[in-house]
């Protein structure tokens, strides 16, 4: 998922998941999670988002930046976070999401249209006599993932919103994530970076709702490369696993008993997802019947 121009981070790279700010975002500004879901062609019911936001504001002050976790969506398989970052002293600092580059534009690269500044972060900081604060905040649990995805939005004024998600597959009603915040300065003239300051805070996260899992087995001898198919239905979408892993070519081949294809589910990189009202007893894959375990 996230969006065109999103960044994918794998184990060999520093894990990022980003920050947020306690300086309030204007109510008229769309929440980062609903924004990014919409950019990727999905919708996210605002009521689901409200149910999963931290019950109390989760704010970290670190290295001259204010980082506030704005929203969390966890459906049992994937965890999505949205955070807003801002400088504690806007006269001294310009915040920059850690996934951005000092030579990228301050106004953003997704057509946000929220900030009228055609300068790069480096130009803006140098001309305005400020230091750049590179702000990074992510669940420490991301270090256990092979890959995860993230991107950011440049908001109006002095804030930025950073969205990230990873596929954890916890399948738990409640989990606790450790939000790690890292901030370091960048001199806009020399590009020299100062030593990073770090803080960590634990955040309880609740699943959106019920999770249903059903495993199907081929009801007859077949020439397919696999024998089992597992569907995991969450409040967001239905995930497809083939012999315990993901195989994107299978998604379009799954049909109901009448031979009709299921609509695609939410767009999520690396996953086959389907839109199902309920998990069926039988599905067809390339004309082979797969029957649910009893």
């Amino acid at each position: 998922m996230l969006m065109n121009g999103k960044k994918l981070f794998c184990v060999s790279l520093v894990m990022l998941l980003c920050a947020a700010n306690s300086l309030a975002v204007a109510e008229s500004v769309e929440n980062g999670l609903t924004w990014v879901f919409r950019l990727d062609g999905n919708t996210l019911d605002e009521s689901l988002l409200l149910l999963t936001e931290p019950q109390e504001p989760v704010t970290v002050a670190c290295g001259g930046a204010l980082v506030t976790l704005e929203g969390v969506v966890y459906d049992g398989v994937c965890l999505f976070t949205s955070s807003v970052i801002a400088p504690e002293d806007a006269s001294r600092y310009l915040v920059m999401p850690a996934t951005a580059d000092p030579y990228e534009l301050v106004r953003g690269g997704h057509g946000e249209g929220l900030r009228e500044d055609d300068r790069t972060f480096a130009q803006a900081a140098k001309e305005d006599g400020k230091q750049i604060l590179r702000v990074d905040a992510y669940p420490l649990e991301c270090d256990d993932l092979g890959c995860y995805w993230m991107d950011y939005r440049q908001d109006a004024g002095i804030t930025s919103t950073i969205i990230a998600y990873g596929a954890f597959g916890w399948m738990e009603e409640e989990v606790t994530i450790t939000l790690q915040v890292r901030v370091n300065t960048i001199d806009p003239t020399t590009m020299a970076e100062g030593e990073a300051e770090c803080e960590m805070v634990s955040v309880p996260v609740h699943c959106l709702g019920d999770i249903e899992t059903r495993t199907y087995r081929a009801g007859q001898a077949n020439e397919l490369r696999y024998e089992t198919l597992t569907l995991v239905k969450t409040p967001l979408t239905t995930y497809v696993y083939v012999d315990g892993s993901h195989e994107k070519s299978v998604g379009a081949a799954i049909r109901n008993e009448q031979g009709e294809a299921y609509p695609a589910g939410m767009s999520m990189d690396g996953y086959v997802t389907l839109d199902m009202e309920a998990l069926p007893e039988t599905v067809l894959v390339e004309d082979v019947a797969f029957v649910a375990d009893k």
Side-chain angles (χ1 to χ4, degrees):
M1 204 187 125
L2 290 180
M3 62 195 81
N4 294 334
K6 60 185 174 295
K7 297 183 180 179
L8 167 65
F9 296 83
C10 295
V11 284
S12 61
L13 300 180
V14 177
M15 307 308 275
L16 308 170
L17 192 145
C18 259
N21 130 315
S22 71
L23 294 183
V25 181
E27 293 183 2
S28 59
V29 175
E30 185 176 18
N31 181 285
L33 291 176
T34 58
W35 173 76
V36 78
F37 273 66
R38 178 175 53 78
L39 280 186
D40 210 37
N42 300 312
T43 58
L44 178 64
D45 190 318
E46 192 72 22
S47 64
L48 292 180
L49 181 64
L50 292 175
L51 285 173
T52 55
E53 289 180 352
Q55 293 185 355
E56 296 182 2
V58 179
T59 301
V60 176
C62 177
L66 288 172
V67 178
T68 299
L69 189 60
E70 175 196 35
V72 179
V73 166
Y74 164 59
D75 74 341
V77 177
C78 287
L79 174 75
F80 304 78
T81 64
S82 175
S83 309
V84 180
I85 63 175
E88 288 189 287
D89 185 347
S91 67
R92 295 180 59 194
Y93 299 118
L94 172 66
V95 293
M96 183 184 75
T99 52
D101 183 278
Y103 301 103
E104 292 180 14
L105 298 179
V106 171
R107 59 177 166 79
H110 296 295
E112 295 95 324
L114 300 173
R115 192 182 302 199
E116 296 181 0
D117 194 332
D118 292 327
R119 300 174 297 175
T120 65
F121 286 98
Q123 289 173 329
K126 185 175 181 180
E127 292 175 6
D128 297 343
K130 300 179 181 181
Q131 293 282 297
I132 297 173
L133 290 184
R134 184 197 298 275
V135 183
D136 188 8
Y138 64 95
L140 200 58
E141 292 73 19
C142 282
D143 289 343
D144 297 327
L145 297 179
C147 296
Y148 71 100
W149 297 257
M150 69 176 303
D151 215 318
Y152 68 93
R153 177 185 70 192
Q154 286 298 93
D155 300 323
I158 59 175
T159 69
S160 302
T161 299
I162 306 173
I163 303 97
Y165 89 82
F168 294 89
W170 286 319
M171 307 292 285
E172 301 288 342
E173 290 185 7
E174 181 177 341
V175 296
T176 297
I177 63 174
T178 303
L179 184 69
Q180 177 168 274
V181 175
R182 181 180 291 111
V183 180
N184 63 300
T185 59
I186 300 177
D187 186 298
T189 301
T190 65
M191 291 292 111
E193 297 193 17
E195 185 174 350
E197 294 189 32
C198 301
E199 296 286 345
M200 290 191 294
V201 60
S202 295
V203 182
V205 176
H206 298 272
C207 186
L208 282 175
D210 295 334
I211 307 165
E212 184 180 359
T213 299
R214 188 168 290 187
T215 297
Y216 302 77
R217 301 182 188 278
Q220 63 193 68
N222 65 84
E223 296 180 356
L224 299 177
R225 300 191 307 276
Y226 51 88
E227 296 294 328
T228 65
L229 180 72
T230 300
L231 301 179
V232 177
K233 189 177 188 311
T234 76
L236 287 182
T237 195
T238 297
Y239 299 87
V240 179
Y241 299 82
V242 176
D243 285 345
S245 62
H246 309 291
E247 185 148 348
K248 301 202 78 169
S249 62
V250 174
I254 298 176
R255 300 177 180 273
N256 61 23
E257 291 183 274
Q258 290 72 45
E260 301 166 333
Y262 289 98
M266 298 192 74
S267 176
M268 296 186 182
D269 285 344
Y271 277 91
V272 176
T273 63
L274 300 174
D275 183 7
M276 291 183 164
E277 292 185 5
L279 295 184
E281 293 295 329
T282 303
V283 294
L284 299 178
V285 184
E286 297 181 16
D287 296 326
V288 175
F290 278 69
V291 182
D293 288 344
K294 299 297 182 183

